[in-house]
């Protein structure tokens, strides 16, 4: 039966929607690289937008001209050195002869400065931003040895090494994929503190970007679908049990929907017939516009009701006039 079919379909729709919504939660991953989830707002902060990758080269030419050929820079001001750093990734610049760092780790340097022609690493690559309270933080460790420890053997594992801590600040006016690091300071040339302003630090992603889940639009769509399913199921149940309707009449507001469908159909008829009239305007007119006689309203309804074709003209006119009277009565109420 059509009815149970549509009811089954609605149930299926509803259950799949609910399944989608609940399954979505279990797919969330907080450990995606360079993504952090705020424990207070539940928002995901995706720093991959400001994580620079080396420009892709093809036959020595840059493929994407938007690629930056260099990492982010921060002026050192009174520190007497400028800083170069990348977010979640090694710096794009080729760094060599890094003070006190094994050559196999040079390619993993994520932040450095240059002084007296020597390159000092202030941290090896890391990609685990996290929240400390409301602050989004990323740190790099294992840079060059700190000054006090510099004279002890660099192979000694207890040597203290330079590290970097970055605090991300939301800047809605910044261009997307843009980061502006500012050097805040260092107390003992061992830990370096930066503030990074970027629109990537504004969050706003409600779900894990890796989960392929729903955005706000998807959530709204699910709510709409649930509302429609509830309307269909509840309406059918009401029409069936209370109003004792059967067949298509079980559908809630069947007459309303049927009327709407008829109206749209009639509009199409009007459009196509008027287009047709343009092409055969010299034909003697016996079309719907004159069928209801001099009554202008009848002419309109006649045009709407033009689906009957040429036969039964008189009966159509009577039916139309009755319809108009009925409409008039309803209008007067
Ligand atoms: C840092 O960069 C600025 C320009 O951005 C330059 O004027 C200054 O000399 C640099 N400082 C050092 C120590 O290289
Ligand atoms: C260095 O970076 C490479 C990728 O560039 C990575 O596979 C490797 O694990 C990193 N090594 C360390 C010690 O972080
Ligand atoms: C540095 O980041 C790691 C996670 O990558 C975290 O476990 C550690 O506590 C952080 N250290 C500091 C000093 O914030
Ligand atoms: C490392 O240095 C500490 C002192 O800073 C010393 O006590 C220790 O013996 C050294 N270890 C090695 C393996 O050299």
């Amino acid at each position: 039966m059509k009815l149970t079919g549509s009811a089954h379909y609605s149930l299926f729709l509803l259950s799949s929607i609910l399944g989608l919504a609940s399954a979505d939660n279990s797919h969330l991953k907080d450990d995606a690289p360079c993504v952090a989830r705020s424990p207070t707002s539940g928002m995901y902060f995706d720093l991959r937008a400001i994580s620079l990758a080396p420009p892709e080269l093809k036959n020595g030419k840059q493929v994407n001209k938007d690629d930056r050929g260099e990492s982010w820079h921060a002026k050192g001001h009174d520190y007497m050195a400028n800083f170069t750093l990348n977010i979640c990734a090694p710096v794009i610049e080729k760094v060599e002869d890094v003070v006190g760092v094994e050559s196999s780790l040079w390619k993993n340097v994520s932040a450095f400065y240059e002084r007296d022609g020597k390159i000092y690493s202030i941290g090896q690559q890391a990609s685990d931003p996290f929240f400390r309270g409301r602050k989004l933080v990323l740190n790099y460790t294992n840079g060059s040895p700190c000054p006090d420890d510099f004279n002890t053997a660099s192979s000694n594992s207890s040597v203290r090494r330079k590290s970097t801590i970055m605090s991300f600040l939301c800047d809605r006016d910044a261009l997307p994929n843009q980061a502006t690091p500012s050097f805040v300071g260092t107390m003992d040339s061992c830990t370096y503190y930066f503030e990074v302003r970027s629109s990537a630090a504004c969050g706003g992603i409600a779900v894990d970007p890796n989960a392929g889940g729903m955005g706000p639009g998807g959530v709204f769509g699910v709510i709409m679908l649930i509302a429609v399913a509830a309307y269909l199921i509840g309406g059918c149940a009401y029409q069936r049990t209370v109003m004792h309707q059967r067949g298509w009449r079980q559908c809630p507001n069947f007459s309303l929907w049927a009327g709407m469908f008829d109206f749209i159909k009639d509009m199409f008829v009007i459009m196509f017939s008027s287009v047709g009239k343009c092409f055969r305007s010299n034909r003697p007119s016996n079309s719907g516009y004159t069928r209801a006689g001099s009554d202008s309203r009848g002419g309109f309804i006649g045009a709407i009701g033009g689906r009957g074709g040429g036969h039964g003209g008189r009966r159509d006119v009577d039916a139309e006039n009755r319809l108009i009277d009925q409409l008039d009565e309803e209008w007067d109420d």
Side-chain angles (χ1 to χ4, degrees):
M1 209 170 122
K2 276 171 187 167
L3 227 357
T4 49
S6 78
H8 275 165
Y9 175 69
S10 307
L11 276 178
F12 164 76
L13 202 70
L14 189 66
S15 61
S16 60
I17 289 162
L18 293 177
L20 186 74
S22 60
D24 192 52
N25 282 332
S26 60
H27 281 258
L28 297 184
K29 270 189 295 162
D30 290 1
D31 55 358
C34 220
V35 175
R37 184 171 179 270
S38 162
T40 46
S41 70
M43 295 271 200
Y44 280 88
F45 290 72
D46 189 352
L47 297 181
R48 288 174 300 183
I50 51 173
S51 178
L52 299 169
E56 220 180 306
L57 293 181
K58 208 173 203 175
N59 302 328
K61 277 191 164 179
Q62 204 166 314
V63 175
N64 184 356
K65 66 174 164 52
D66 291 341
D67 281 351
R68 275 173 68 104
E70 50 183 333
S71 309
W72 307 116
H73 296 290
K75 270 191 203 141
H77 304 288
D78 55 331
Y79 190 67
M80 297 305 170
N82 292 327
F83 298 91
T84 303
L85 54 89
N86 198 355
I87 311 295
C88 296
V91 289
I92 290 169
E93 291 80 0
K94 244 194 159 47
V95 287
E96 281 170 344
D97 300 320
V98 185
V99 174
V101 175
E102 268 183 59
S103 59
S104 63
L105 296 175
W106 290 348
K107 63 176 167 44
N108 290 63
V109 170
S110 268
F112 72 91
Y113 65 90
E114 198 174 340
R115 186 183 268 177
D116 304 332
K118 287 189 209 154
I119 289 178
Y120 294 85
S121 165
I122 55 171
Q124 294 287 117
Q125 186 250 329
S127 46
D128 318 297
F130 65 99
F131 272 88
R132 182 166 282 137
R134 295 168 60 88
K135 282 280 175 204
L136 178 56
V137 175
L138 174 64
N139 69 45
Y140 297 143
T141 53
N142 282 322
S144 299
C146 294
D148 295 343
D149 299 11
F150 193 69
N151 293 325
T152 54
S154 59
S155 58
N156 192 325
S157 58
S158 71
V159 69
R160 283 201 332 135
R161 290 180 171 277
K162 290 179 191 273
S163 54
T164 293
I165 188 155
M166 285 167 283
S167 164
F168 291 86
L169 303 174
C170 167
D171 183 354
R172 291 184 197 282
D173 297 332
L175 294 170
N177 307 327
Q178 198 69 33
T180 313
S182 322
F183 174 58
V184 176
T186 175
M187 295 304 283
D188 49 6
S189 291
C190 200
T191 297
Y192 295 77
Y193 176 50
F194 295 86
E195 274 181 355
V196 184
R197 293 184 175 274
S198 170
S199 60
C202 297
I205 317 163
V207 292
D208 181 0
N210 287 342
M214 292 179 296
V219 171
F220 179 74
V222 163
I223 291 170
M224 285 304 291
L225 280 175
I226 290 175
V228 169
Y231 166 76
L232 285 175
I233 294 173
C236 283
Y238 176 79
Q239 293 287 339
R240 197 179 166 83
T241 58
V242 182
M243 308 300 282
H244 300 293
Q245 301 281 8
R246 291 293 180 269
W248 278 110
R249 303 216 152 263
Q250 271 177 128
C251 300
N253 301 52
F254 172 76
S255 50
L256 174 73
W257 295 116
M260 223 179 258
F261 178 73
D262 278 351
F263 176 73
I264 292 166
K265 204 172 69 183
D266 291 347
M267 280 321 223
F268 268 100
V269 171
I270 290 172
M271 268 194 287
F272 283 112
S273 69
S274 56
V275 167
K277 259 171 88 90
C278 292
F279 286 107
R280 45 190 166 82
S281 52
N282 53 349
R283 252 182 65 181
S285 174
N286 65 345
S287 69
Y289 283 95
T290 54
R291 259 195 280 140
S294 59
D295 191 333
S296 62
R297 290 173 304 175
F300 177 66
I301 298 287
I304 291 177
R307 57 183 181 266
H311 60 80
R314 190 69 242 162
R315 231 183 45 221
D316 277 2
V317 172
D318 289 345
E320 281 158 11
N321 288 337
R322 264 201 310 279
L323 181 61
I324 291 158
D325 290 345
Q326 191 188 334
L327 284 174
D328 283 346
E329 278 164 29
E330 282 173 13
W331 188 255
D332 289 341
D333 286 346

Short mmCIF file of all heavy atoms in Angstrom, two decimals, residues 256-278:
data_model
loop_
_atom_site.label_atom_id
_atom_site.label_comp_id
_atom_site.label_asym_id
_atom_site.label_seq_id
_atom_site.Cartn_x
_atom_site.Cartn_y
_atom_site.Cartn_z
N LEU A 256 -4.51 20.43 0.26
CA LEU A 256 -3.67 21.62 0.10
C LEU A 256 -2.56 21.36 -0.91
O LEU A 256 -2.34 22.12 -1.84
CB LEU A 256 -3.07 22.01 1.45
CG LEU A 256 -2.06 23.16 1.41
CD1 LEU A 256 -2.79 24.47 1.18
CD2 LEU A 256 -1.26 23.23 2.69
N TRP A 257 -1.86 20.22 -0.71
CA TRP A 257 -0.75 19.90 -1.61
C TRP A 257 -1.26 19.66 -3.02
O TRP A 257 -0.66 20.12 -4.00
CB TRP A 257 0.02 18.68 -1.12
CG TRP A 257 0.69 18.92 0.20
CD1 TRP A 257 0.44 18.30 1.37
CD2 TRP A 257 1.70 19.89 0.46
NE1 TRP A 257 1.22 18.80 2.36
CE2 TRP A 257 2.02 19.78 1.85
CE3 TRP A 257 2.37 20.83 -0.31
CZ2 TRP A 257 2.96 20.58 2.44
CZ3 TRP A 257 3.33 21.62 0.31
CH2 TRP A 257 3.61 21.50 1.66
N ALA A 258 -2.41 18.95 -3.12
CA ALA A 258 -2.96 18.68 -4.44
C ALA A 258 -3.31 20.00 -5.13
O ALA A 258 -3.02 20.20 -6.31
CB ALA A 258 -4.20 17.79 -4.32
N GLY A 259 -3.92 20.94 -4.34
CA GLY A 259 -4.28 22.23 -4.91
C GLY A 259 -3.05 22.98 -5.37
O GLY A 259 -3.03 23.59 -6.45
N MET A 260 -2.02 22.91 -4.57
CA MET A 260 -0.77 23.60 -4.93
C MET A 260 -0.19 23.03 -6.22
O MET A 260 0.22 23.76 -7.11
CB MET A 260 0.23 23.43 -3.79
CG MET A 260 0.99 24.69 -3.46
SD MET A 260 2.10 24.35 -2.12
CE MET A 260 1.21 25.08 -0.78
N PHE A 261 -0.24 21.71 -6.31
CA PHE A 261 0.28 21.05 -7.52
C PHE A 261 -0.53 21.49 -8.73
O PHE A 261 0.03 21.84 -9.77
CB PHE A 261 0.21 19.54 -7.32
CG PHE A 261 0.66 18.76 -8.52
CD1 PHE A 261 2.00 18.70 -8.85
CD2 PHE A 261 -0.25 18.13 -9.34
CE1 PHE A 261 2.43 18.00 -9.95
CE2 PHE A 261 0.17 17.43 -10.46
CZ PHE A 261 1.50 17.37 -10.76
N ASP A 262 -1.87 21.50 -8.58
CA ASP A 262 -2.72 21.93 -9.69
C ASP A 262 -2.40 23.35 -10.10
O ASP A 262 -2.32 23.67 -11.29
CB ASP A 262 -4.20 21.84 -9.27
CG ASP A 262 -4.71 20.42 -9.41
OD1 ASP A 262 -3.95 19.59 -9.99
OD2 ASP A 262 -5.82 20.14 -8.92
N PHE A 263 -2.19 24.21 -9.10
CA PHE A 263 -1.92 25.62 -9.39
C PHE A 263 -0.64 25.74 -10.22
O PHE A 263 -0.60 26.45 -11.23
CB PHE A 263 -1.77 26.38 -8.07
CG PHE A 263 -1.40 27.82 -8.25
CD1 PHE A 263 -2.33 28.74 -8.72
CD2 PHE A 263 -0.12 28.26 -7.96
CE1 PHE A 263 -1.99 30.06 -8.88
CE2 PHE A 263 0.23 29.58 -8.13
CZ PHE A 263 -0.71 30.49 -8.59
N ILE A 264 0.41 25.03 -9.79
CA ILE A 264 1.68 25.11 -10.52
C ILE A 264 1.49 24.59 -11.94
O ILE A 264 1.96 25.18 -12.91
CB ILE A 264 2.77 24.32 -9.77
CG1 ILE A 264 3.11 25.03 -8.46
CG2 ILE A 264 4.01 24.15 -10.62
CD1 ILE A 264 3.90 24.21 -7.49
N LYS A 265 0.75 23.49 -12.05
CA LYS A 265 0.49 22.91 -13.36
C LYS A 265 -0.23 23.94 -14.24
O LYS A 265 0.14 24.16 -15.39
CB LYS A 265 -0.38 21.65 -13.18
CG LYS A 265 -0.27 20.65 -14.30
CD LYS A 265 -0.98 19.36 -13.96
CE LYS A 265 -2.48 19.59 -13.93
NZ LYS A 265 -3.24 18.40 -13.53
N ASP A 266 -1.25 24.60 -13.66
CA ASP A 266 -2.02 25.58 -14.42
C ASP A 266 -1.14 26.74 -14.85
O ASP A 266 -1.28 27.26 -15.95
CB ASP A 266 -3.18 26.09 -13.57
CG ASP A 266 -4.22 25.00 -13.38
OD1 ASP A 266 -4.12 23.99 -14.09
OD2 ASP A 266 -5.10 25.15 -12.51
N MET A 267 -0.24 27.16 -13.97
CA MET A 267 0.65 28.25 -14.32
C MET A 267 1.47 27.89 -15.54
O MET A 267 1.68 28.72 -16.44
CB MET A 267 1.59 28.57 -13.14
CG MET A 267 0.94 29.40 -12.06
SD MET A 267 -0.12 30.66 -12.75
CE MET A 267 0.25 32.05 -11.77
N PHE A 268 1.93 26.64 -15.57
CA PHE A 268 2.69 26.19 -16.74
C PHE A 268 1.83 26.26 -17.98
O PHE A 268 2.27 26.74 -19.03
CB PHE A 268 3.20 24.75 -16.53
CG PHE A 268 4.55 24.73 -15.91
CD1 PHE A 268 4.72 24.49 -14.55
CD2 PHE A 268 5.67 24.95 -16.70
CE1 PHE A 268 5.97 24.50 -13.99
CE2 PHE A 268 6.92 24.94 -16.14
CZ PHE A 268 7.07 24.73 -14.77
N VAL A 269 0.57 25.80 -17.84
CA VAL A 269 -0.34 25.82 -18.99
C VAL A 269 -0.49 27.24 -19.50
O VAL A 269 -0.40 27.51 -20.70
CB VAL A 269 -1.70 25.21 -18.59
CG1 VAL A 269 -2.71 25.43 -19.70
CG2 VAL A 269 -1.53 23.73 -18.30
N ILE A 270 -0.68 28.19 -18.56
CA ILE A 270 -0.86 29.59 -18.97
C ILE A 270 0.36 30.08 -19.70
O ILE A 270 0.28 30.66 -20.79
CB ILE A 270 -1.11 30.48 -17.73
CG1 ILE A 270 -2.48 30.18 -17.15
CG2 ILE A 270 -1.00 31.95 -18.10
CD1 ILE A 270 -2.73 30.86 -15.84
N MET A 271 1.53 29.79 -19.12
CA MET A 271 2.76 30.29 -19.75
C MET A 271 2.92 29.74 -21.15
O MET A 271 3.18 30.48 -22.09
CB MET A 271 3.96 29.88 -18.89
CG MET A 271 4.33 30.93 -17.87
SD MET A 271 5.92 30.63 -17.18
CE MET A 271 5.62 29.25 -16.14
N PHE A 272 2.70 28.42 -21.26
CA PHE A 272 2.93 27.83 -22.58
C PHE A 272 1.87 28.28 -23.57
O PHE A 272 2.18 28.52 -24.73
CB PHE A 272 2.98 26.30 -22.47
CG PHE A 272 4.29 25.85 -21.92
CD1 PHE A 272 4.39 25.26 -20.68
CD2 PHE A 272 5.45 26.07 -22.66
CE1 PHE A 272 5.60 24.87 -20.17
CE2 PHE A 272 6.68 25.67 -22.15
CZ PHE A 272 6.76 25.08 -20.90
N SER A 273 0.63 28.47 -23.12
CA SER A 273 -0.41 28.88 -24.05
C SER A 273 -0.16 30.31 -24.51
O SER A 273 -0.35 30.64 -25.67
CB SER A 273 -1.80 28.72 -23.43
OG SER A 273 -1.95 29.68 -22.41
N SER A 274 0.33 31.18 -23.60
CA SER A 274 0.58 32.56 -24.02
C SER A 274 1.79 32.62 -24.94
O SER A 274 1.80 33.40 -25.90
CB SER A 274 0.76 33.48 -22.82
OG SER A 274 1.80 32.99 -22.01
N VAL A 275 2.77 31.77 -24.68
CA VAL A 275 3.90 31.70 -25.62
C VAL A 275 3.40 31.23 -26.96
O VAL A 275 3.75 31.78 -28.02
CB VAL A 275 5.00 30.75 -25.08
CG1 VAL A 275 6.01 30.42 -26.16
CG2 VAL A 275 5.69 31.37 -23.88
N GLY A 276 2.53 30.22 -26.92
CA GLY A 276 1.95 29.69 -28.16
C GLY A 276 1.18 30.76 -28.91
O GLY A 276 1.27 30.87 -30.13
N LYS A 277 0.43 31.59 -28.16
CA LYS A 277 -0.37 32.64 -28.79
C LYS A 277 0.49 33.59 -29.60
O LYS A 277 0.10 34.06 -30.66
CB LYS A 277 -1.10 33.44 -27.71
CG LYS A 277 -2.55 33.06 -27.57
CD LYS A 277 -3.15 33.73 -26.36
CE LYS A 277 -3.69 35.11 -26.69
NZ LYS A 277 -5.09 35.07 -27.10
N CYS A 278 1.66 33.89 -29.12
CA CYS A 278 2.55 34.81 -29.82
C CYS A 278 2.85 34.28 -31.21
O CYS A 278 3.03 35.06 -32.16
CB CYS A 278 3.87 34.97 -29.06
SG CYS A 278 3.65 35.82 -27.51
#
